[in-house]
Amino acid sequence: MTAAASDRRQFASDNYAGICPEAFAALAEANQGHEVSYGNDTWTEKASNLIREVFETDCEVFFVFNGTAANSLSLASLCQPYHSILCHEMAHVEVAECGAPEFFSNGAKVLLLSGAEGKVDPKSIERAVNKRTDIHYPKPGALSLTQATELGTVYSLEELRSLTEVARRFHLRVHMDGARFANAVVSLGVAPKEITWQSGVDVLCFGGTKNGIAVGEAVVFFNAQLGREFDYRCKQGGQLASKMRFLSAPWVGVLQDGAWLRHAKHANAMARRLGEKIRHVPGVEIAYGVQTNSVFAKLPAKVVDAMHQRGWKFYTHVGRTDEARLMCSWATTEQDVDDLARDLEREGR
Ligand SMILES: Cc1ncc(COP(=O)(O)O)c(C=O)c1O
């Protein structure tokens, strides 16, 4: 039996999933008694220390409400208003943040780079930087990389290092949008430090929301100088939570026993299962490597319509126009995957 459309777990976004048990338990525990406000509480201290343990370094940690704020405010810290921010043409900071990076940086211009599978081609950085060097062009100030990318692919360690080497050569700061950082870590099987500060990343927006936290992302500065007075930037940007413990406690919940990695591993495994199940359905073509928790599939328009009619929700506006994004989460079950695959098979025939 297919679950009724209303109580079905969907494939539109990992944001559709609820709060994971570990984060929920920590929230409940943090709800005991009173705590100091504005981030001077024991939960925030514990969460920050756990993040330092995860990255095996003494980084500066801040918690904000969402990914747009994390990206925009951290990019603003890396740039002057007359700078430009270089990112892939499909980057969230370009296509899904309503101009917030430009707004919060007081005018830094986002310049677009190209590259296959959602990944920046190092040569496109060189092209953008060398295009003009005169005073009339916004001076390139930062490179923003998304790991895992908007298309669910990941930069290998070598790819990352060659990109940050180019960035260093051109004196660009390196920002990483890690809304799905956990999915990238488990996909690559690396230590978090290897794909961040050891590879030349200055600041990471470490995503929690898509991996089981209710709300809140961590902004992690590996370059402490760049994180100076970031708390004031957060406050001015409306991102300093007074009851900060409710942003930070869930991080303690997911980090203290490795749940963040388990959940990401599970989400990636569900996407892999889905990719394998639908790969051979007539009319379906998997568009990119399934490396994390999403499957991008080219589907005939009539199949998209029929699947929507059956109550399935998924996005068709993230990749190319003929691609559906099927996104798994920590809460996706094998049964969910099998139900979706079975309906696709029926409609694809
Ligand atoms: C790559 C990427 N970065 C950042 C975000 C965070 O966005 P939000 O401001 O909705 O939390 C998202 C969410 O879709 C994303 O996919």
Side-chain angles (χ1 to χ4, degrees), residues 81-137:
Y82 50 83
H83 279 161
S84 49
I85 297 160
L86 276 50
C87 68
H88 194 275
E89 59 197 336
M90 288 181 144
H92 198 266
V93 295
E94 158 65 9
V95 302
E97 299 190 353
C98 200
E102 289 95 332
F103 177 77
F104 281 108
S105 62
N106 284 314
K109 187 172 165 63
V110 172
L111 295 182
L112 305 184
L113 307 173
S114 55
E117 302 230 314
K119 297 196 264 185
V120 170
D121 176 349
K123 289 197 202 72
S124 74
I125 305 176
E126 301 210 32
R127 276 197 298 274
V129 173
N130 291 328
K131 187 174 168 196
R132 294 250 306 266
T133 51
D134 59 85
I135 194 114
H136 306 286
Y137 189 65

Side-chain angles (χ1 to χ4, degrees), residues 36 141 243 259 302 314 337:
V36 184
K243 292 188 175 179
K302 69 172 181 32
F314 50 85
V337 169

Side-chain angles (χ1 to χ4, degrees), residues 9-11 14 17-18 20-22 180-188 210-212 258-275 290-295 326-338:
R9 276 178 293 270
Q10 292 287 354
F11 289 79
D14 30 14
C20 69
E22 298 83 356
R180 299 186 181 86
F181 182 75
N183 303 89
V185 168
V186 296
S187 172
L188 289 165
K210 296 179 193 315
N211 197 25
W260 71 291
L261 294 171
R262 279 198 306 280
H263 290 320
K265 196 169 171 192
H266 172 81
N268 289 4
M270 292 302 100
R272 235 177 6 255
R273 179 182 181 96
L274 181 59
V290 180
Q291 292 184 286
T292 53
N293 59 325
S294 57
V295 179
L326 304 168
M327 179 73 83
C328 300
S329 76
W330 70 271
T332 305
T333 65
E334 291 186 352
Q335 188 63 56
D336 300 329
V337 169
D338 296 353

Side-chain angles (χ1 to χ4, degrees), residues 292-311:
T292 53
N293 59 325
S294 57
V295 179
F296 282 76
K298 292 187 184 183
L299 302 179
K302 69 172 181 32
V303 174
V304 170
D305 288 346
M307 290 297 283
H308 285 156
Q309 295 254 324
R310 283 181 177 268

Side-chain angles (χ1 to χ4, degrees), residues 208-222:
T209 314
K210 296 179 193 315
N211 197 25
I213 282 179
V215 60
E217 314 283 283
V219 179
V220 184
F221 283 95
F222 300 109

Side-chain angles (χ1 to χ4, degrees), residues 40-315:
N40 296 312
D41 61 281
T42 51
W43 286 98
T44 303
E45 189 186 359
K46 197 165 173 196
S48 303
N49 285 335
L50 282 166
I51 289 177
R52 291 184 190 107
E53 272 175 37
V54 163
F55 289 98
E56 302 177 63
T57 191
D58 188 18
C59 41
E60 294 291 320
V61 181
F62 302 87
F63 297 94
V64 297
F65 290 105
N66 61 27
T68 298
N71 284 336
S72 306
L73 294 173
S74 59
L75 282 165
S77 293
L78 307 192
C79 289
Q80 295 294 330
Y82 50 83
H83 279 161
S84 49
I85 297 160
L86 276 50
C87 68
H88 194 275
E89 59 197 336
M90 288 181 144
H92 198 266
V93 295
E94 158 65 9
V95 302
E97 299 190 353
C98 200
E102 289 95 332
F103 177 77
F104 281 108
S105 62
N106 284 314
K109 187 172 165 63
V110 172
L111 295 182
L112 305 184
L113 307 173
S114 55
E117 302 230 314
K119 297 196 264 185
V120 170
D121 176 349
K123 289 197 202 72
S124 74
I125 305 176
E126 301 210 32
R127 276 197 298 274
V129 173
N130 291 328
K131 187 174 168 196
R132 294 250 306 266
T133 51
D134 59 85
I135 194 114
H136 306 286
Y137 189 65
K139 188 174 164 38
L143 170 68
S144 175
L145 300 170
T146 311
Q147 178 79 313
T149 73
E150 285 74 7
L151 299 183
T153 53
V154 291
Y155 290 101
S156 69
L157 203 47
E158 296 68 36
E159 286 172 327
L160 207 52
R161 290 196 173 151
S162 67
L163 285 161
T164 56
E165 191 277 316
V166 177
R168 232 186 343 270
R169 195 150 26 99
F170 293 118
H171 309 290
L172 306 176
R173 306 285 193 198
V174 181
H175 162 266
M176 181 172 276
D177 176 346
R180 299 186 181 86
F181 182 75
N183 303 89
V185 168
V186 296
S187 172
L188 289 165
V190 291
K193 66 180 175 185
E194 292 180 83
I195 53 168
T196 53
W197 61 274
Q198 285 190 342
S199 289
V201 173
D202 292 304
V203 59
L204 168 73
C205 296
F206 187 5
T209 314
K210 296 179 193 315
N211 197 25
I213 282 179
V215 60
E217 314 283 283
V219 179
V220 184
F221 283 95
F222 300 109
N223 178 335
Q225 186 58 24
L226 293 172
R228 236 186 95 237
E229 299 183 350
F230 191 72
D231 42 355
Y232 286 88
R233 210 179 269 286
C234 289
K235 176 67 190 176
Q236 187 184 50
Q239 290 291 322
L240 180 66
S242 54
K243 292 188 175 179
M244 183 70 87
R245 72 184 191 273
F246 296 114
L247 286 193
S248 55
W251 281 94
V252 174
V254 298
L255 292 175
Q256 66 191 353
D257 73 340
W260 71 291
L261 294 171
R262 279 198 306 280
H263 290 320
K265 196 169 171 192
H266 172 81
N268 289 4
M270 292 302 100
R272 235 177 6 255
R273 179 182 181 96
L274 181 59
E276 285 314 310
K277 285 200 168 261
I278 65 173
R279 193 172 292 282
H280 306 293
V281 173
V284 173
E285 195 187 318
I286 306 296
Y288 312 106
V290 180
Q291 292 184 286
T292 53
N293 59 325
S294 57
V295 179
F296 282 76
K298 292 187 184 183
L299 302 179
K302 69 172 181 32
V303 174
V304 170
D305 288 346
M307 290 297 283
H308 285 156
Q309 295 254 324
R310 283 181 177 268
W312 290 108
K313 294 191 200 312
F314 50 85
Y315 291 164

